[in-house]
């Protein structure tokens, strides 16, 4: 599996990647709202996504955006679609890396009718530098998924039906999280968030203070000192 960092359009250092990988997605959201207050109510998934592998560490990577459908019959073997599939693989394999494939299923109330992700696709995409996927569609083959490949999905289903790529490199929206190709994403069992590249240094600077403040409040709550102790801790 490819794990090396290829810098994004504005550059993300190894230290920044290591920092983001060391914290969970709720902590990322907390830090983003401190450094970039206008992002407090947006930029993250707002509905439940199934996470078959909750014990995997957070994934941090650059977005590869895709749209799919699976409900309606499509001629998957024709030359046009075969060419599109090959172009799609070139897109997935291209920089920046590591990547996370973010797939919006366009079938509306039928989203997830057929699963794009299973044993074969997870193995192929992992070989092309992908850490995992975030999708409002479905996944399958859970025991056979490539080891270490994370998935956050709208549902789990047994069939791939007529699943096919509609487009790639376009803007998508997964449960309220608007994403552009190349965006930096942080995701774990809780969901996913777009990380503003120009906020990462500020997030790193704020992290220790946030953790310290939370630790004081938790310690006060456990101290037996009641509301007075908790209020004192909250005041700093």
């Amino acid at each position: 599996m490819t794990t090396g960092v290829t810098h994004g359009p504005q550059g993300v250092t190894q230290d920044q990647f290591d920092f983001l990988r060391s914290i969970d997605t709720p902590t990322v959201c907390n830090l983003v709202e401190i450094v970039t207050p206008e992002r407090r109510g947006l930029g993250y998934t707002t509905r439940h996504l199934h996470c078959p592998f909750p014990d995997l560490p957070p994934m941090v990577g650059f977005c590869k955006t895709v749209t799919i459908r699976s409900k309606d019959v499509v001629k998957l073997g024709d030359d046009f679609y075969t060419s599109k599939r090959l172009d799609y693989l070139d897109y997935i394999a291209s920089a920046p890396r590591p990547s996370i494939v973010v797939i919006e299923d366009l079938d509306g109330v039928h989203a997830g009718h057929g699963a794009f992700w299973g044993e074969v696709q997870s193995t192929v995409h992992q070989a092309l530098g992908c850490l995992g996927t975030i999708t409002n569609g479905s996944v399958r083959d859970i025991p056979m998924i490539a080891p270490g490949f994370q998935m956050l999905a709208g549902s789990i289903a047994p069939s791939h039906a007529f699943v096919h790529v509609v487009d790639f490199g376009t803007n998508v929206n997964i449960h309220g999280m608007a994403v552009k190709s190349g965006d930096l994403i942080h995701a774990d069992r809780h969901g996913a968030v777009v990380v503003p590249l120009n906020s990462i240094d500020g997030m790193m600077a704020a992290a220790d203070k946030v953790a310290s403040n939370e630790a004081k409040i938790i310690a006060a709550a456990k101290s037996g000192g009641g509301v007075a102790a908790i209020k004192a801790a909250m005041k700093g």
Side-chain angles (χ1 to χ4, degrees):
M1 182 178 72
T2 301
T3 57
V5 174
T6 300
H7 293 332
Q10 300 180 48
V12 178
T13 68
Q14 188 64 56
D15 284 347
Q16 289 174 329
F17 262 97
D18 291 344
F19 165 71
L20 290 171
R21 289 170 177 149
S22 73
I23 57 179
D24 62 21
T25 304
T27 300
V28 171
C29 289
N30 288 349
L31 293 172
V32 167
E33 70 185 43
I34 289 170
V35 178
T36 314
E38 64 271 20
R39 276 286 312 273
R40 183 167 186 149
L42 54 91
Y44 54 89
T45 54
T46 59
R47 290 170 53 198
H48 174 259
L49 290 166
H50 295 270
C51 181
F53 310 113
D55 294 328
L56 284 179
M59 56 179 177
V60 183
F62 298 102
C63 255
K64 301 290 185 181
T65 56
V66 188
T67 55
I68 62 169
R69 291 187 183 276
S70 66
K71 184 72 168 62
D72 297 329
V73 177
V74 63
K75 295 180 180 179
L76 299 178
D78 66 22
D79 290 342
F80 172 78
Y81 185 69
T82 298
S83 176
K84 173 169 264 189
R85 288 183 68 182
L86 297 177
D87 291 343
Y88 166 78
L89 290 176
D90 287 337
Y91 169 66
I92 294 299
S94 65
R97 291 187 179 188
S99 62
I100 297 172
V101 183
V102 181
I103 297 185
E104 182 176 1
D105 190 324
L106 301 176
D107 278 333
V109 297
H110 299 292
H113 182 82
F116 180 88
W117 292 104
E119 179 183 15
V120 173
Q121 294 290 8
S122 64
T123 303
V124 167
H125 284 71
Q126 189 178 74
L128 298 179
C130 299
L131 304 174
T133 186
I134 303 161
T135 180
N136 64 321
S138 61
V139 297
R140 65 177 190 162
D141 297 342
I142 303 303
M144 287 89 78
I145 294 299
F149 192 87
Q150 183 60 285
M151 300 193 298
L152 299 178
S155 59
I156 298 173
S159 175
H160 56 209
F162 301 101
V163 72
H164 62 283
V165 171
V166 175
D167 204 356
F168 50 87
T170 188
N171 294 352
V172 299
N173 191 300
I174 308 297
H175 289 190
M177 182 180 71
V179 182
K180 304 187 304 293
S181 183
D183 278 348
L184 185 65
I185 294 287
H186 189 289
D188 66 10
R189 69 176 75 184
H190 303 93
V193 61
V194 177
V195 180
L197 298 185
N198 59 2
S199 297
I200 301 174
D201 285 342
M203 293 166 62
M204 294 172 71
D208 287 345
K209 182 177 181 180
V210 170
S212 176
N213 288 342
E214 290 182 349
K216 287 178 183 176
I217 294 169
I218 292 169
K222 292 179 177 180
S223 70
V227 68
I230 295 171
K231 284 182 177 181
M234 287 182 171
K235 290 178 181 177

